[in-house]
Short mmCIF file of all heavy atoms in Angstrom, two decimals:
data_model
loop_
_atom_site.label_atom_id
_atom_site.label_comp_id
_atom_site.label_asym_id
_atom_site.label_seq_id
_atom_site.Cartn_x
_atom_site.Cartn_y
_atom_site.Cartn_z
N GLN A 367 3.26 13.91 -10.85
CA GLN A 367 3.06 14.76 -12.02
C GLN A 367 3.78 14.18 -13.22
O GLN A 367 4.82 13.58 -13.10
CB GLN A 367 3.68 16.14 -11.70
CG GLN A 367 2.74 17.22 -12.00
CD GLN A 367 3.31 18.59 -11.50
OE1 GLN A 367 4.47 18.76 -11.34
NE2 GLN A 367 2.41 19.56 -11.44
N PHE A 368 3.04 14.26 -14.38
CA PHE A 368 3.66 13.74 -15.63
C PHE A 368 3.49 14.77 -16.68
O PHE A 368 2.61 15.63 -16.68
CB PHE A 368 2.91 12.53 -16.09
CG PHE A 368 2.98 11.38 -15.17
CD1 PHE A 368 1.96 11.04 -14.26
CD2 PHE A 368 4.08 10.47 -15.17
CE1 PHE A 368 2.06 9.99 -13.42
CE2 PHE A 368 4.12 9.39 -14.34
CZ PHE A 368 3.12 9.16 -13.45
N THR A 369 4.48 14.76 -17.63
CA THR A 369 4.35 15.54 -18.83
C THR A 369 3.80 14.61 -19.90
O THR A 369 4.38 13.58 -20.24
CB THR A 369 5.66 16.10 -19.22
OG1 THR A 369 6.22 16.79 -18.12
CG2 THR A 369 5.53 17.04 -20.40
N VAL A 370 2.60 14.88 -20.35
CA VAL A 370 1.94 14.09 -21.39
C VAL A 370 2.39 14.60 -22.74
O VAL A 370 2.08 15.77 -23.01
CB VAL A 370 0.43 14.08 -21.13
CG1 VAL A 370 -0.22 13.09 -22.09
CG2 VAL A 370 0.04 13.73 -19.72
N SER A 371 2.91 13.69 -23.53
CA SER A 371 3.44 14.22 -24.78
C SER A 371 2.38 14.42 -25.87
O SER A 371 2.32 15.46 -26.41
CB SER A 371 4.55 13.31 -25.28
OG SER A 371 4.02 11.96 -25.35
N SER A 372 1.50 13.39 -26.02
CA SER A 372 0.57 13.56 -27.17
C SER A 372 -0.60 14.35 -26.74
O SER A 372 -0.99 14.46 -25.54
CB SER A 372 0.17 12.19 -27.57
OG SER A 372 -0.29 11.44 -26.52
N ALA A 373 -1.27 14.95 -27.69
CA ALA A 373 -2.42 15.84 -27.43
C ALA A 373 -3.52 14.87 -26.86
O ALA A 373 -3.89 13.91 -27.47
CB ALA A 373 -2.84 16.52 -28.69
N ILE A 374 -4.18 15.38 -25.83
CA ILE A 374 -5.25 14.60 -25.19
C ILE A 374 -6.57 15.33 -25.33
O ILE A 374 -6.71 16.58 -25.26
CB ILE A 374 -4.93 14.47 -23.62
CG1 ILE A 374 -3.62 13.73 -23.46
CG2 ILE A 374 -6.09 13.86 -22.90
CD1 ILE A 374 -3.54 12.31 -23.88
N ASP A 375 -7.60 14.56 -25.60
CA ASP A 375 -8.92 15.16 -25.74
C ASP A 375 -9.50 15.31 -24.26
O ASP A 375 -10.04 14.30 -23.71
CB ASP A 375 -9.82 14.24 -26.54
CG ASP A 375 -11.16 14.85 -26.81
OD1 ASP A 375 -11.47 15.84 -26.15
OD2 ASP A 375 -11.87 14.37 -27.71
N ARG A 376 -9.29 16.47 -23.68
CA ARG A 376 -9.63 16.55 -22.23
C ARG A 376 -11.06 16.44 -21.87
O ARG A 376 -11.41 16.20 -20.72
CB ARG A 376 -9.00 17.85 -21.69
CG ARG A 376 -9.50 19.16 -22.31
CD ARG A 376 -8.64 20.30 -21.92
NE ARG A 376 -7.30 20.13 -22.26
CZ ARG A 376 -6.25 20.41 -21.47
NH1 ARG A 376 -6.44 20.90 -20.28
NH2 ARG A 376 -4.95 20.28 -21.87
N GLU A 377 -11.92 16.64 -22.87
CA GLU A 377 -13.33 16.46 -22.66
C GLU A 377 -13.74 14.98 -22.36
O GLU A 377 -14.72 14.74 -21.63
CB GLU A 377 -14.21 16.96 -23.82
CG GLU A 377 -13.97 18.33 -24.25
CD GLU A 377 -14.38 19.33 -23.16
OE1 GLU A 377 -15.42 19.18 -22.56
OE2 GLU A 377 -13.57 20.23 -22.83
N LYS A 378 -12.94 14.08 -22.78
CA LYS A 378 -13.32 12.67 -22.70
C LYS A 378 -12.46 11.85 -21.76
O LYS A 378 -12.44 10.65 -21.79
CB LYS A 378 -13.24 12.06 -24.14
CG LYS A 378 -14.21 12.57 -25.11
CD LYS A 378 -14.17 11.87 -26.43
CE LYS A 378 -15.11 12.48 -27.42
NZ LYS A 378 -14.54 12.47 -28.72
N ILE A 379 -11.81 12.54 -20.83
CA ILE A 379 -11.01 11.82 -19.81
C ILE A 379 -11.91 11.09 -18.86
O ILE A 379 -12.93 11.74 -18.36
CB ILE A 379 -10.05 12.83 -19.07
CG1 ILE A 379 -9.04 13.37 -20.07
CG2 ILE A 379 -9.38 12.09 -17.91
CD1 ILE A 379 -8.12 14.41 -19.47
N VAL A 380 -11.61 9.88 -18.61
CA VAL A 380 -12.49 9.08 -17.65
C VAL A 380 -11.60 8.63 -16.53
O VAL A 380 -10.52 8.06 -16.74
CB VAL A 380 -13.10 7.87 -18.33
CG1 VAL A 380 -13.97 7.12 -17.33
CG2 VAL A 380 -13.98 8.32 -19.52
N ALA A 381 -12.07 8.92 -15.29
CA ALA A 381 -11.29 8.42 -14.10
C ALA A 381 -12.16 7.59 -13.26
O ALA A 381 -13.32 7.83 -13.10
CB ALA A 381 -10.86 9.67 -13.28
N SER A 382 -11.57 6.46 -12.83
CA SER A 382 -12.36 5.57 -11.94
C SER A 382 -11.34 5.05 -10.87
O SER A 382 -10.15 5.10 -11.05
CB SER A 382 -12.97 4.39 -12.72
OG SER A 382 -11.94 3.72 -13.35
N MET A 383 -11.95 4.62 -9.78
CA MET A 383 -11.14 4.17 -8.64
C MET A 383 -11.77 2.81 -8.18
O MET A 383 -12.96 2.75 -7.95
CB MET A 383 -11.20 5.20 -7.55
CG MET A 383 -10.31 5.01 -6.44
SD MET A 383 -8.80 5.96 -6.64
CE MET A 383 -7.81 5.28 -5.37
N LYS A 384 -10.89 1.80 -8.05
CA LYS A 384 -11.41 0.59 -7.58
C LYS A 384 -10.26 -0.12 -6.70
O LYS A 384 -9.13 -0.19 -7.15
CB LYS A 384 -11.72 -0.36 -8.71
CG LYS A 384 -12.53 -1.53 -8.33
CD LYS A 384 -13.09 -2.25 -9.55
CE LYS A 384 -13.88 -3.49 -9.10
NZ LYS A 384 -13.05 -4.69 -8.94
N ASP A 385 -10.67 -0.54 -5.51
CA ASP A 385 -9.73 -1.24 -4.53
C ASP A 385 -8.41 -0.53 -4.43
O ASP A 385 -7.34 -1.15 -4.41
CB ASP A 385 -9.46 -2.65 -5.08
CG ASP A 385 -10.76 -3.49 -5.11
OD1 ASP A 385 -11.57 -3.30 -4.30
OD2 ASP A 385 -10.81 -4.44 -5.97
N GLY A 386 -8.48 0.77 -4.39
CA GLY A 386 -7.29 1.62 -4.11
C GLY A 386 -6.44 1.83 -5.37
O GLY A 386 -5.28 2.21 -5.20
N VAL A 387 -6.95 1.49 -6.51
CA VAL A 387 -6.20 1.73 -7.74
C VAL A 387 -6.96 2.71 -8.66
O VAL A 387 -8.18 2.57 -8.96
CB VAL A 387 -6.01 0.44 -8.57
CG1 VAL A 387 -5.19 0.72 -9.80
CG2 VAL A 387 -5.30 -0.63 -7.73
N LEU A 388 -6.26 3.85 -8.94
CA LEU A 388 -6.87 4.81 -9.86
C LEU A 388 -6.62 4.47 -11.24
O LEU A 388 -5.52 4.10 -11.71
CB LEU A 388 -6.21 6.18 -9.59
CG LEU A 388 -6.62 7.36 -10.51
CD1 LEU A 388 -8.02 7.80 -10.28
CD2 LEU A 388 -5.58 8.49 -10.44
N LYS A 389 -7.68 4.49 -12.09
CA LYS A 389 -7.55 4.23 -13.49
C LYS A 389 -7.95 5.43 -14.27
O LYS A 389 -9.07 6.05 -14.10
CB LYS A 389 -8.39 3.02 -13.91
CG LYS A 389 -8.21 2.67 -15.34
CD LYS A 389 -9.00 1.45 -15.73
CE LYS A 389 -8.68 1.03 -17.16
NZ LYS A 389 -9.41 -0.19 -17.58
#
Side-chain angles (χ1 to χ4, degrees):
Chain A
Q367 233 173 13
F368 296 98
T369 306
V370 185
S371 54
S372 50
I374 299 296
D375 188 345
R376 58 191 61 223
E377 301 298 313
K378 292 186 186 143
I379 295 174
V380 180
S382 58
M383 189 97 190
K384 194 169 178 274
D385 298 329
V387 181
L388 171 74
K389 185 176 186 180

